[in-house]
């Protein structure tokens, strides 16, 4: 028993110093910056077209992918998750978490951090709050914003957020890079049409083309998705 006090002292020293040893590390790639606590280990991979790295801690991994995104990640049908679209330093972004907290998914998707590169960060089966705390520190471009992002209030709505809506409903027939079933929806074409024109076009009834294919007509009840989608398409 004579060693017990010593053991306690050593224990309290190590538990204190553990806390104090955690500092903040900075990450930067292209237009993207964020901070993460130093108890996460950072590893860079060799990507071919896309930059890939990851952060890991206690078996949890946050993947960081940065590059040109095509095909879009939400082209596939949505899973049963919660979403939220917010603006980060002028760019539209989607946050996604699983409804079931135990499933521990948290992702952030910024399709266009500039005219060419997108960011996708995600983890699975980890501590969602820990991960969101890192996402909250994301800054884009020359941002000097001091406050962290507010990314609570995930929505479980019938109509998906605008970016998801666009990738599901429009990119099944259109591409931003070439003519597919419909004309190429590149930035120049979209800008030349104008926001109001595009909005009216989206809600209007279209003529059927060859083989009965026609551009989709969106119902007015999806207006919150459409408005967010327009915000995304016309972001600077
Ligand atoms: C089923 C396939 C299909 C889907 C889904 C689809 N489109 Fe189209 N879209 C077309 C085709 C085909 C055309 C060319 C024929 C035409 O102009 O009607 C077209 C034309 C367009 C045009 C050009 C119109 C013009 O007059 O120049 C725009 C803009 C457009 N689509 C936007 C969208 C948006 C936004 C969505 C998602 C809400 C969407 N489309 C979904 C097939 C599709």
């Amino acid at each position: 028993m004579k060693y017990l006090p010593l053991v306690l002292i050593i224990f309290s020293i190590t538990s204190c110093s553990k806390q104090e040893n955690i500092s903040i590390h900075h990450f930067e790639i292209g237009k993207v910056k964020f901070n993460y606590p130093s108890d996460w280990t950072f590893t860079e991979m060799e990507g071919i077209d896309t930059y890939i790295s990851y952060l890991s801690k206690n078996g949890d991994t946050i993947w960081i992918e940065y590059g040109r995104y095509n095909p879009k990640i939400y082209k596939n049908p949505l899973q049963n998750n919660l979403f939220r679209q917010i603006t980060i330093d002028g760019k539209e972004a989607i946050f996604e978490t699983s409804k079931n907290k135990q499933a521990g998914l948290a992702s952030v998707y910024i399709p266009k951090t500039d005219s060419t590169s997108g960011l996708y960060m995600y983890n699975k089966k980890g501590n969602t709050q820990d991960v969101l705390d890192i996402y909250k520190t994301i800054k884009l471009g020359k941002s000097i914003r001091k406050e962290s992002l507010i990314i609570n209030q995930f929505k479980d709505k019938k109509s998906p957020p605008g970016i998801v809506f666009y990738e599901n409903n429009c990119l099944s027939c259109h591409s931003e890079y070439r003519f597919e079933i419909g004309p190429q929806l590149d930035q120049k074409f979209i800008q030349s049409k104008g926001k109001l024109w595009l909005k009216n076009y989206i809600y209007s009834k279209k003529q059927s083309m060859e083989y009965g294919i026609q551009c989709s007509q969106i119902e007015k009840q999806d207006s919150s998705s459409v408005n967010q989608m327009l915000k995304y398409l016309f972001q600077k």
Side-chain angles (χ1 to χ4, degrees):
M1 275 329 261
K2 139 170 140 196
Y3 294 112
L4 189 62
L6 188 64
V7 170
L8 281 179
I9 287 169
I10 291 176
F11 179 76
S12 57
I13 288 174
T14 48
S15 57
C16 281
S17 58
K18 213 171 182 184
Q19 280 302 312
E20 281 160 15
N21 276 344
I22 297 181
S23 55
I24 297 298
H25 285 183
H26 300 281
F27 171 92
E28 184 167 354
I29 178 81
K31 293 274 172 353
V32 181
K33 288 188 196 103
F34 64 81
N35 298 333
Y36 61 94
S38 60
D39 53 346
W40 289 83
T41 309
F42 175 71
T43 310
E44 232 162 31
M45 313 263 291
E46 254 180 66
I48 297 171
D49 292 330
T50 309
Y51 167 90
I52 302 174
S53 60
Y54 62 89
L55 292 169
S56 51
K57 181 178 112 175
N58 303 336
D60 194 8
T61 307
I62 303 175
W63 290 94
I64 303 152
E65 299 180 6
Y66 179 78
R68 185 169 144 166
Y69 280 100
N70 187 35
K72 301 294 175 176
I73 60 165
Y74 292 125
K75 231 174 161 177
N76 297 319
L78 284 182
Q79 293 166 342
N80 203 17
N81 288 335
L82 302 177
F83 290 86
R84 179 155 163 75
Q85 179 167 333
I86 66 167
T87 311
I88 304 179
D89 300 321
K91 304 291 180 190
E92 295 302 299
I94 293 272
F95 289 89
E96 178 184 9
T97 58
S98 39
K99 255 184 218 165
N100 173 359
K101 280 249 160 37
Q102 310 307 323
L105 166 85
S107 79
V108 52
Y109 174 45
I110 312 175
K112 293 196 167 69
T113 62
D114 59 18
S115 59
T116 54
S117 296
L119 174 78
Y120 186 43
M121 287 174 70
Y122 62 97
N123 86 308
K124 282 170 189 159
K125 296 192 188 119
N127 180 334
T128 304
Q129 198 50 54
D130 263 13
V131 176
L132 288 177
D133 284 345
I134 293 179
Y135 295 168
K136 276 179 193 167
T137 68
I138 293 177
K139 286 201 184 94
L140 297 176
K142 296 198 169 70
S143 171
I144 48 162
R145 177 171 44 83
K146 291 247 164 44
E147 316 80 56
S148 49
L149 299 167
I150 298 167
I151 48 177
N152 50 4
Q153 297 168 335
F154 281 86
K155 294 223 172 69
D156 180 15
K157 285 195 312 183
K158 286 213 181 66
S159 51
I163 294 172
V164 178
F165 183 86
Y166 172 67
E167 299 198 349
N168 276 329
N169 290 285
C170 313
L171 295 187
S172 46
C173 289
H174 294 277
S175 156
E176 293 169 7
Y177 305 103
R178 68 193 84 85
F179 189 99
E180 284 192 354
I181 296 164
Q184 178 184 358
L185 295 185
D186 62 313
Q187 206 51 28
K188 216 169 136 202
F189 179 71
I190 297 230
Q191 295 289 344
S192 74
K193 294 290 189 185
K195 205 171 187 172
L196 200 60
W197 183 93
L198 190 59
K199 190 171 181 169
N200 290 328
Y201 181 78
I202 287 166
Y203 291 128
S204 70
K205 174 119 190 69
K206 319 293 196 293
Q207 297 287 326
S208 187
M209 312 269 296
E210 275 179 280
Y211 313 112
I213 293 172
Q214 64 195 58
C215 187
S216 42
Q217 175 182 15
I218 305 302
E219 300 295 326
K220 281 266 165 57
Q221 74 211 33
D222 288 331
S223 67
S224 78
S225 300
V226 169
N227 289 338
Q228 279 180 342
M229 174 179 118
L230 291 168
K231 210 171 162 197
Y232 167 60
L233 292 176
F234 288 88
Q235 74 185 8
K236 290 267 153 34

